[in-house]
Amino acid sequence: MILIDGKKEAALLREELKKEVINLKAKYNKVPGLTVILIGDLTPSQIYVRNKEKSAKEVGLKSEIIKYPENIEEKVVIEKIKELNTNETVSGILVQLPLPKHIDKQKIIEAIDPSKDVDGFHPMNVGNLSSGYESSIPCTPLGCYLLIKKIEPNLSGKKAVIVGRSNLNGKPMTQLLLKENCTVTITHSRTKDLKTECLEADIIVAAVGIPELVKGDWIKKGCIVIDVGINKTDQGIVGDVAFDEVSKNAKALTPVPGGVGPMTIACLLKNTIDCFKRSQI
Ligand code: GUN
């Protein structure tokens, strides 16, 4: 079984991006800039944002964090986003989720200029991805996709089963694998027989938020299994896949932590650089 080393793959991607930033600086005499807006003081969000900034600096991007208190008014955030939309030194804007309840997430997402939407959450980018046009692609599914391609470069005709239908992961993951000519099945909480669906799969992406849902006897020999889950349990952090059982049948499997997570941040940096490049044309 191949244990997919997300930390190593993310470090390789960051090395490539670092070189790209040096070349862009030589060509344009400026570097891509990422601005992250963090509202409130949720600890996981603070940790994510700190990691994003550290990685951005490591590859040579200009990085800025704008922090607001939990009770900030929605219109103040929207005004700031509008200002960032017109700021030429800002290539990418990310508003860290989740947001406080009084702030309308969709309004915030739609305030971001689609050409600076490094999350790929704006409806225009969602539409572009599903139509096969160039766009920012949500960072977590993009990271999963790059890990899958490393194991199996030719995905044409493979049967992929996505567990979970979220806008964040399941739906964009489906689009990415469709583009690679996979036959994709999206499963979710109302799916009748998840085990039977999974047993057909050459590739499983589990992004459903249920600890260790995907079991060892759901896996066809040779299947590539990508675990997006990060679930807090009494036994510590576990994924959506029962790791020990599944590792006996899978061809390749991502661990949690150290699998998809590090790739997500590296893909955010990639998206920032790609937004910068598109803005220079
Ligand atoms: N919070 C957890 N994951 C994400 C993400 O991918 N993007 C944003 N903006 N917030 C998040």
Side-chain angles (χ1 to χ4, degrees):
M1 208 268 310
I2 302 166
L3 183 64
I4 300 173
D5 188 343
K7 268 193 190 167
K8 189 183 104 194
E9 294 302 333
L12 289 172
L13 178 54
R14 286 198 305 273
E15 275 310 307
E16 265 177 47
L17 297 174
K18 208 169 169 174
K19 286 182 201 143
E20 198 167 3
V21 172
I22 291 169
N23 291 338
L24 289 171
K25 193 172 178 185
K27 187 168 177 190
Y28 298 108
N29 198 27
K30 52 188 174 184
V31 295
L34 172 66
T35 298
V36 174
I37 298 181
L38 175 62
I39 303 171
D41 50 14
L42 279 179
T43 309
S45 291
Q46 284 182 331
I47 295 170
Y48 283 138
V49 169
R50 209 180 308 138
N51 286 337
K52 284 168 185 169
E53 187 179 41
K54 185 170 154 259
S55 304
K57 293 219 161 117
E58 185 193 323
V59 306
L61 302 184
K62 190 172 151 297
S63 164
E64 175 192 29
I65 301 175
I66 299 173
K67 288 186 183 173
Y68 289 116
E70 178 84 19
N71 62 358
I72 190 76
E73 276 187 78
E74 183 182 276
K75 67 174 185 218
V76 176
V77 183
I78 299 220
E79 279 312 306
K80 175 51 81 178
I81 291 172
K82 283 185 181 161
E83 186 190 311
L84 296 169
N85 283 344
T86 58
N87 182 338
E88 268 190 35
T89 70
V90 176
S91 321
I93 304 166
L94 178 142
V95 181
Q96 183 67 28
L97 303 176
L99 296 172
K101 285 205 170 55
H102 68 280
I103 297 184
D104 181 340
K105 182 176 84 175
Q106 202 56 22
K107 243 179 165 173
I108 295 289
I109 289 172
E110 289 182 25
I112 299 171
D113 185 322
S115 70
K116 296 192 177 188
D117 166 35
V118 280
D119 264 325
F121 293 165
H122 191 288
M124 191 185 283
N125 284 323
V126 176
N128 279 339
L129 176 61
S130 70
S131 305
Y133 300 137
E134 198 173 347
S135 68
S136 284
I137 296 163
C139 305
T140 301
L142 179 56
C144 295
Y145 166 79
L146 294 175
L147 291 176
I148 295 167
K149 286 282 279 185
K150 271 275 164 95
I151 302 292
E152 181 57 71
N154 182 8
L155 298 175
S156 185
K158 302 279 182 202
K159 183 150 175 38
V161 171
I162 315 292
V163 187
R165 56 176 151 183
S166 69
N167 291 337
L168 215 71
N169 290 302
K171 287 179 194 160
M173 194 70 236
T174 301
Q175 299 299 345
L176 286 170
L177 292 173
L178 261 183
K179 242 182 173 171
E180 291 288 322
N181 302 313
C182 288
T183 302
V184 186
T185 302
I186 313 174
T187 65
H188 46 77
S189 56
R190 310 284 170 87
T191 295
K192 287 249 165 63
D193 188 350
L194 197 48
K195 177 179 172 180
T196 302
E197 298 292 346
C198 285
L199 270 170
E200 296 269 310
D202 302 306
I203 299 156
I204 295 175
V205 180
V208 73
I210 301 175
E212 300 179 324
L213 173 73
V214 178
K215 303 289 189 285
D217 62 354
W218 295 18
I219 307 298
K220 187 170 79 177
K221 270 248 165 307
C223 182
I224 299 170
V225 183
I226 305 292
D227 189 352
V228 181
I230 303 177
N231 306 293
K232 262 190 206 157
T233 69
D234 296 341
Q235 280 75 256
I237 302 278
V238 301
D240 293 349
V241 174
F243 184 89
D244 290 345
E245 291 176 18
V246 169
S247 65
K248 294 196 175 85
N249 288 337
K251 171 180 170 186
L253 172 62
T254 58
V256 175
V260 174
M263 282 301 281
T264 297
I265 295 190
C267 287
L268 170 66
L269 310 178
K270 175 174 166 31
N271 280 350
T272 306
I273 293 168
D274 289 345
C275 283
F276 173 87
K277 290 198 293 196
R278 287 194 286 267
S279 74
Q280 300 306 310
I281 295 165

